[in-house]
Amino acid sequence: MSRCLICKEHFWQEVSLNIIFKPNKTQICSECSANLERTSGCIRCDKPTNKIRDRRYECSDCKKWRRVKGGDPLCKNRSIFLYNGFLKQLLADYKYRGDVALANVFTNDIRRIIRSEFPDFVVTALPLSPSRMQERGFNQAEQLLGMLSWHNCLTRSLSNDDKKQSKKTRAERIKREQNNPFSVMEHEFKQIKGKRYLIIDDIYTTGATVRLAAVQLIDAGAKNVSSLTIARS
């Protein structure tokens, strides 16, 4: 019998050799699992889009990034779940109420996707600003990596950038792009040059945040940059 990490109820799961010999057993019950909706949208960012004859296409947002900005610093974003009401509450419990154990709900999927889609990428986590780190006591992106090896090479130095992205005005977002809050640690440049990087974060909304980090990695010599997030809104 196992105990669901989300609802805390006990549940039975089928016993097999796979479960006995692998530690990555199911962490949540079938009821909670059913509330998590898998993404299957835009071929580049996983934005929910209509399929045509069961084929996935690039969304207008991704096309706009290249058209308006003269190129997209992010090759691809892969998100695991849609940002529905259930996941929104789950991530709030994880990030703002300090239930760090909930990271284990997602670690198996993160490992699986990295192995299958980004096997030759160097993994890095999107950092928090010092003030946000002090407030929460942990970095939610780092916790999602579990025991995976990753390259700690980014910093987030602007303490006045703590306002939530969804709460910012258009003028504040433009100013943020002009004053990139991310930077690469100077002593890490040599390790970055010529490598592919995968940025881990919790939510992809407009993609602006991971792209700002991607710009800094590319300027430091990275060959290309993609991202992997838990949720796609």
Side-chain angles (χ1 to χ4, degrees), residues 4-230:
C4 179
L5 288 173
I6 299 176
C7 67
K8 312 304 181 185
E9 295 292 331
H10 287 92
F11 69 98
W12 292 98
Q13 59 180 312
E14 183 180 353
V15 177
S16 65
L17 290 176
N18 188 53
I19 291 176
I20 293 173
F21 292 106
K22 289 187 177 182
N24 300 332
K25 64 179 182 179
T26 303
Q27 301 283 345
I28 59 176
C29 66
S30 58
E31 288 80 4
C32 288
S33 181
N35 287 316
L36 293 170
E37 300 178 77
R38 299 275 174 176
T39 57
S40 180
C42 170
I43 198 168
R44 289 193 65 237
C45 76
D46 272 335
K47 178 182 179 179
T49 56
N50 292 327
K51 292 183 180 180
I52 302 176
R53 296 179 182 176
D54 293 326
R55 293 183 62 186
R56 296 171 64 184
Y57 290 87
E58 185 179 17
C59 71
S60 58
D61 290 352
C62 288
K63 293 177 181 177
K64 186 177 180 181
W65 271 108
R66 291 200 303 278
R67 185 175 69 252
V68 175
K69 302 296 181 181
D72 194 340
L74 197 70
C75 286
K76 176 183 178 181
N77 172 73
R78 180 76 162 86
S79 296
I80 304 172
F81 301 111
L82 296 178
Y83 193 49
N84 60 14
F86 183 82
L87 184 55
K88 183 177 182 179
Q89 182 60 54
L90 182 58
L91 289 177
D93 290 340
Y94 172 51
K95 291 167 59 176
Y96 307 118
R97 294 169 192 161
D99 195 347
V100 181
L102 288 175
N104 293 319
V105 172
F106 312 111
T107 51
N108 287 347
D109 278 306
I110 289 172
R111 293 191 194 101
R112 175 181 55 79
I113 291 172
I114 290 176
R115 284 196 303 265
S116 62
E117 299 187 33
F118 305 99
D120 58 342
F121 282 63
V122 178
V123 177
T124 191
L126 207 65
L128 295 178
S129 66
S131 58
R132 185 70 78 189
M133 186 69 179
Q134 183 177 13
E135 175 188 330
R136 293 185 189 169
F138 71 101
N139 183 332
Q140 73 274 4
E142 292 180 13
Q143 292 294 325
L144 291 170
L145 294 171
M147 299 300 291
L148 287 174
S149 61
W150 61 284
H151 186 197
N152 182 17
C153 59
L154 291 168
T155 62
R156 192 171 187 162
S157 57
L158 296 184
S159 60
N160 61 351
D161 189 55
D162 285 351
K163 191 174 182 181
K164 291 181 181 179
Q165 184 78 354
S166 60
K167 301 294 183 181
K168 291 178 181 176
T169 64
R170 183 175 182 274
E172 286 174 324
R173 294 189 186 201
I174 293 173
K175 183 178 179 181
R176 182 170 182 254
E177 289 189 26
Q178 295 172 341
N179 300 278
N180 196 323
F182 300 103
S183 60
V184 173
M185 300 176 191
E186 188 174 347
H187 59 279
E188 301 295 339
F189 274 64
K190 289 183 179 180
Q191 296 188 52
I192 294 172
K193 189 174 181 179
K195 296 176 182 175
R196 302 179 184 213
Y197 269 78
L198 180 67
I199 300 172
I200 304 297
D201 199 17
D202 54 353
I203 305 172
Y204 182 111
T205 303
T206 65
T209 301
V210 290
R211 281 178 170 86
L212 287 171
V215 165
Q216 299 292 55
L217 287 169
I218 290 171
D219 286 348
K223 184 176 181 180
N224 56 56
V225 182
S226 293
S227 61
L228 171 59
T229 68
I230 298 303

